[in-house]
């Protein structure tokens, strides 16, 4: 079973992906995470990629599709894949169809107000990566490994607005792509994470 999760930044794709990949034994591929790992290598390509990511702009399709193909070639022992943050353009959706058959496209819908609120509040441990909502956690120290919590460099209000606007521009085309294949499902992403998770489970079970 292959699933695509689409949604604005901070719509909850990452949180849901982690839970779903465990529940259904899927390979979780976050193209944002692939990029952040690649950028750490600090070679010429990484510097080029970092320029887009820092500004909240989409990385060109040929570069991100190349990274994804490489990753899939190295990780080919799995029952299904959960794509988190890919496709982000109609062209990426077309390229993805050449690689795997998508069984479900789950759209997690959130408003700009919700995105800005979440982005200003989301932190993660710089050591183990555990995610925190600052308004709930109240401390900048990880409760698992006692390390410092940090914000992503692209989690600023300005960058979030750019990323949200870019998402709105392309989402209708991506949704139309999956509606044509009769695999699109809508979820209100402003509900609690548990409710969103339950609704996704009902769809894919
Ligand atoms: P994310 O972690 O999904 O919020 O992605 C972080 C950043 O990585 C985005 O703002 C883009 O700059 C870049 N990115 C992630 N996935 C893609 C994609 N499928 N196509 C182009 N750029 C991407």
């Amino acid at each position: 079973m292959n699933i695509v999760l689409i949604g604005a930044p901070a719509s909850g794709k990452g949180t849901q992906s982690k839970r779903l990949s465990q529940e259904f034994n899927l390979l979780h591929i976050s193209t944002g995470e692939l990029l952040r790992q690649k950028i750490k290598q600090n070679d010429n390509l990484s510097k080029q990629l970092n320029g887009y990511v820092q500004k909240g702009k989409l990385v060109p399709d040929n570069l991100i599709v190349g990274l994804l193909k490489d990753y899939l070639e190295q990780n080919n022992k799995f029952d299904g894949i959960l794509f988190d943050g890919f496709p982000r353009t109609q062209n990426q959706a077309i390229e993805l169809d050449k690689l795997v058959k998508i069984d479900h496209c789950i759209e997690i819908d959130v408003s700009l107000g919700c995105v800005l609120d979440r982005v200003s509040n989301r932190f993660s441990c710089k050591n183990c990566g555990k995610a925190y909502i600052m308004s709930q956690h109240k401390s900048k120290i990880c409760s698992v490994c006692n390390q410092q919590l940090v914000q992503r460099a692209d989690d600023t209000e300005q960058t979030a607005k750019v990323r949200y606007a870019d998402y709105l521009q392309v989402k209708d085309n991506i949704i139309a792509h999956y509606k044509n294949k009769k695999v699109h499902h809508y979820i209100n992403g402003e509900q609690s994470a548990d409710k969103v998770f339950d609704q996704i489970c009902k769809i894919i079970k």
Side-chain angles (χ1 to χ4, degrees):
M1 173 171 62
N2 298 312
I3 301 172
V4 156
L5 283 191
I6 62 165
S11 56
K13 299 188 299 293
T15 306
Q16 297 301 330
S17 297
K18 284 190 189 101
R19 290 181 69 173
L20 291 165
S21 53
Q22 281 173 4
E23 180 83 12
F24 297 97
N25 203 19
L26 303 171
L27 177 72
H28 172 200
I29 301 184
S30 153
T31 43
E33 197 48 44
L34 280 187
L35 285 165
R36 285 185 283 280
Q37 293 305 324
K38 177 74 190 157
I39 286 167
K40 282 186 191 160
Q41 293 174 5
N42 213 20
D43 54 21
N44 277 345
L45 174 60
S46 314
K47 285 178 193 151
Q48 202 186 337
L49 296 171
N50 197 27
Y52 295 102
V53 173
Q54 288 289 326
K55 292 190 200 101
K57 299 304 290 177
L58 289 183
V59 167
D61 287 343
N62 62 329
L63 297 181
I64 192 77
V65 170
L67 272 186
L68 180 68
K69 278 185 184 164
D70 288 350
Y71 188 78
L72 285 175
E73 272 165 26
Q74 290 156 21
N75 295 275
N76 53 10
K77 292 189 187 109
F78 42 80
D79 296 331
I81 311 174
L82 197 151
F83 293 93
D84 160 11
F86 190 97
R88 266 175 155 104
T89 65
Q90 193 180 13
N91 186 39
Q92 290 180 13
I94 293 166
E95 288 300 316
L96 186 57
D97 287 343
K98 295 177 191 166
L99 301 172
V100 291
K101 176 181 176 289
I102 297 301
D103 301 295
H104 301 286
C105 164
I106 315 276
E107 174 196 358
I108 306 181
D109 186 38
V110 287
S111 63
L112 176 61
C114 175
V115 168
L116 294 180
D117 187 47
R118 288 186 185 176
V119 156
S120 63
N121 257 306
R122 73 173 174 184
F123 284 70
S124 62
C125 173
K126 68 175 187 182
N127 182 46
C128 70
K130 183 174 163 53
Y132 290 89
I133 305 291
M134 203 36 83
S135 55
Q136 293 164 10
H137 186 62
K138 313 269 186 226
S139 145
K140 287 203 175 162
I141 301 295
C142 176
S143 53
V144 177
C145 62
N146 248 1
Q147 295 292 309
Q148 207 187 343
L149 304 186
V150 290
Q151 258 190 312
R152 267 170 47 176
D154 59 345
D155 266 354
T156 63
E157 182 176 323
Q158 195 190 0
T159 309
K161 282 182 179 164
V162 172
R163 293 162 72 207
Y164 190 84
D166 284 354
Y167 171 71
L168 288 190
Q169 268 190 3
V170 296
K171 79 161 192 169
D172 289 345
N173 285 340
I174 300 175
I175 289 168
H177 181 91
Y178 290 112
K179 275 189 174 165
N180 272 339
K181 295 180 183 293
K182 303 203 177 358
V183 295
H184 167 264
H185 311 271
Y186 174 91
I187 303 246
N188 173 2
E190 297 195 17
Q191 306 171 94
S192 72
D194 285 344
K195 273 196 180 156
V196 171
F197 180 71
D198 288 346
Q199 290 180 4
I200 298 178
C201 288
K202 276 193 193 128
I203 290 168
I204 63 185
K205 264 180 186 161

